[in-house]
mmCIF file of all heavy atoms in Angstrom:
data_model
loop_
_atom_site.group_PDB
_atom_site.id
_atom_site.type_symbol
_atom_site.label_atom_id
_atom_site.label_comp_id
_atom_site.label_asym_id
_atom_site.label_seq_id
_atom_site.Cartn_x
_atom_site.Cartn_y
_atom_site.Cartn_z
ATOM 1 N N GLY D 50 -9.655 -13.183 -10.482
ATOM 2 C CA GLY D 50 -9.700 -14.596 -10.122
ATOM 3 C C GLY D 50 -8.407 -15.074 -9.483
ATOM 4 O O GLY D 50 -8.391 -16.123 -8.836
ATOM 5 N N ASP D 51 -7.306 -14.336 -9.672
ATOM 6 C CA ASP D 51 -6.037 -14.714 -9.044
ATOM 7 C C ASP D 51 -6.152 -14.572 -7.532
ATOM 8 O O ASP D 51 -6.808 -13.657 -7.041
ATOM 9 C CB ASP D 51 -4.884 -13.807 -9.509
ATOM 10 C CG ASP D 51 -4.422 -14.102 -10.925
ATOM 11 O OD1 ASP D 51 -4.944 -15.044 -11.552
ATOM 12 O OD2 ASP D 51 -3.528 -13.375 -11.402
ATOM 13 N N VAL D 52 -5.490 -15.455 -6.817
ATOM 14 C CA VAL D 52 -5.388 -15.325 -5.368
ATOM 15 C C VAL D 52 -3.991 -14.783 -5.085
ATOM 16 O O VAL D 52 -2.994 -15.364 -5.508
ATOM 17 C CB VAL D 52 -5.616 -16.674 -4.658
ATOM 18 C CG1 VAL D 52 -5.386 -16.534 -3.154
ATOM 19 C CG2 VAL D 52 -7.028 -17.172 -4.938
ATOM 20 N N ILE D 53 -3.956 -13.638 -4.416
ATOM 21 C CA ILE D 53 -2.681 -12.981 -4.152
ATOM 22 C C ILE D 53 -2.406 -12.961 -2.654
ATOM 23 O O ILE D 53 -3.311 -13.162 -1.848
ATOM 24 C CB ILE D 53 -2.650 -11.541 -4.719
ATOM 25 C CG1 ILE D 53 -3.749 -10.675 -4.076
ATOM 26 C CG2 ILE D 53 -2.786 -11.568 -6.237
ATOM 27 C CD1 ILE D 53 -3.666 -9.199 -4.435
ATOM 28 N N THR D 54 -1.151 -12.712 -2.326
ATOM 29 C CA THR D 54 -0.770 -12.614 -0.924
ATOM 30 C C THR D 54 -0.355 -11.187 -0.619
ATOM 31 O O THR D 54 0.034 -10.437 -1.527
ATOM 32 C CB THR D 54 0.406 -13.559 -0.605
ATOM 33 O OG1 THR D 54 1.495 -13.228 -1.467
ATOM 34 C CG2 THR D 54 0.022 -14.999 -0.796
ATOM 35 N N GLU D 55 -0.439 -10.824 0.649
ATOM 36 C CA GLU D 55 -0.010 -9.498 1.060
ATOM 37 C C GLU D 55 1.471 -9.357 0.719
ATOM 38 O O GLU D 55 2.257 -10.264 0.962
ATOM 39 C CB GLU D 55 -0.218 -9.325 2.561
ATOM 40 C CG GLU D 55 0.161 -7.950 3.053
ATOM 41 C CD GLU D 55 -0.093 -7.782 4.538
ATOM 42 O OE1 GLU D 55 -0.813 -8.593 5.139
ATOM 43 O OE2 GLU D 55 0.446 -6.824 5.098
ATOM 44 N N GLY D 56 1.827 -8.237 0.103
ATOM 45 C CA GLY D 56 3.218 -7.997 -0.267
ATOM 46 C C GLY D 56 3.545 -8.413 -1.691
ATOM 47 O O GLY D 56 4.616 -8.101 -2.199
ATOM 48 N N GLN D 57 2.621 -9.129 -2.350
ATOM 49 C CA GLN D 57 2.851 -9.557 -3.729
ATOM 50 C C GLN D 57 2.708 -8.358 -4.667
ATOM 51 O O GLN D 57 1.785 -7.564 -4.533
ATOM 52 C CB GLN D 57 1.834 -10.640 -4.107
ATOM 53 C CG GLN D 57 1.965 -11.149 -5.531
ATOM 54 C CD GLN D 57 0.971 -12.263 -5.830
ATOM 55 O OE1 GLN D 57 0.452 -12.917 -4.936
ATOM 56 N NE2 GLN D 57 0.690 -12.463 -7.099
ATOM 57 N N ASP D 58 3.636 -8.228 -5.626
ATOM 58 C CA ASP D 58 3.556 -7.125 -6.591
ATOM 59 C C ASP D 58 2.331 -7.328 -7.482
ATOM 60 O O ASP D 58 2.099 -8.417 -8.004
ATOM 61 C CB ASP D 58 4.818 -7.063 -7.453
ATOM 62 C CG ASP D 58 6.043 -6.636 -6.653
ATOM 63 O OD1 ASP D 58 5.875 -6.070 -5.557
ATOM 64 O OD2 ASP D 58 7.167 -6.859 -7.136
ATOM 65 N N ILE D 59 1.546 -6.239 -7.639
ATOM 66 C CA ILE D 59 0.335 -6.349 -8.448
ATOM 67 C C ILE D 59 0.439 -5.552 -9.740
ATOM 68 O O ILE D 59 -0.131 -5.934 -10.749
ATOM 69 C CB ILE D 59 -0.912 -5.920 -7.645
ATOM 70 C CG1 ILE D 59 -0.720 -4.545 -7.003
ATOM 71 C CG2 ILE D 59 -1.245 -6.964 -6.592
ATOM 72 C CD1 ILE D 59 -1.958 -3.978 -6.330
ATOM 73 N N VAL D 60 1.148 -4.429 -9.708
ATOM 74 C CA VAL D 60 1.343 -3.626 -10.920
ATOM 75 C C VAL D 60 2.746 -3.023 -10.892
ATOM 76 O O VAL D 60 3.376 -2.934 -9.841
ATOM 77 C CB VAL D 60 0.320 -2.465 -11.062
ATOM 78 C CG1 VAL D 60 -1.089 -2.978 -11.195
ATOM 79 C CG2 VAL D 60 0.433 -1.488 -9.925
ATOM 80 N N GLU D 61 3.188 -2.601 -12.066
ATOM 81 C CA GLU D 61 4.437 -1.848 -12.154
ATOM 82 C C GLU D 61 4.059 -0.453 -12.636
ATOM 83 O O GLU D 61 3.344 -0.306 -13.631
ATOM 84 C CB GLU D 61 5.403 -2.513 -13.133
ATOM 85 C CG GLU D 61 6.757 -1.830 -13.170
ATOM 86 C CD GLU D 61 7.762 -2.615 -13.993
ATOM 87 O OE1 GLU D 61 7.417 -3.025 -15.120
ATOM 88 O OE2 GLU D 61 8.880 -2.824 -13.514
ATOM 89 N N MET D 62 4.513 0.551 -11.888
ATOM 90 C CA MET D 62 4.179 1.936 -12.189
ATOM 91 C C MET D 62 5.426 2.683 -12.646
ATOM 92 O O MET D 62 6.530 2.404 -12.188
ATOM 93 C CB MET D 62 3.620 2.640 -10.946
ATOM 94 C CG MET D 62 2.383 2.011 -10.345
ATOM 95 S SD MET D 62 0.915 2.068 -11.402
ATOM 96 C CE MET D 62 0.616 3.824 -11.514
#
Side-chain angles (χ1 to χ4, degrees):
D51 286 357
V52 175
I53 61 172
T54 57
E55 182 178 344
Q57 179 178 339
D58 291 342
I59 52 173
V60 297
E61 185 172 48
M62 302 295 295

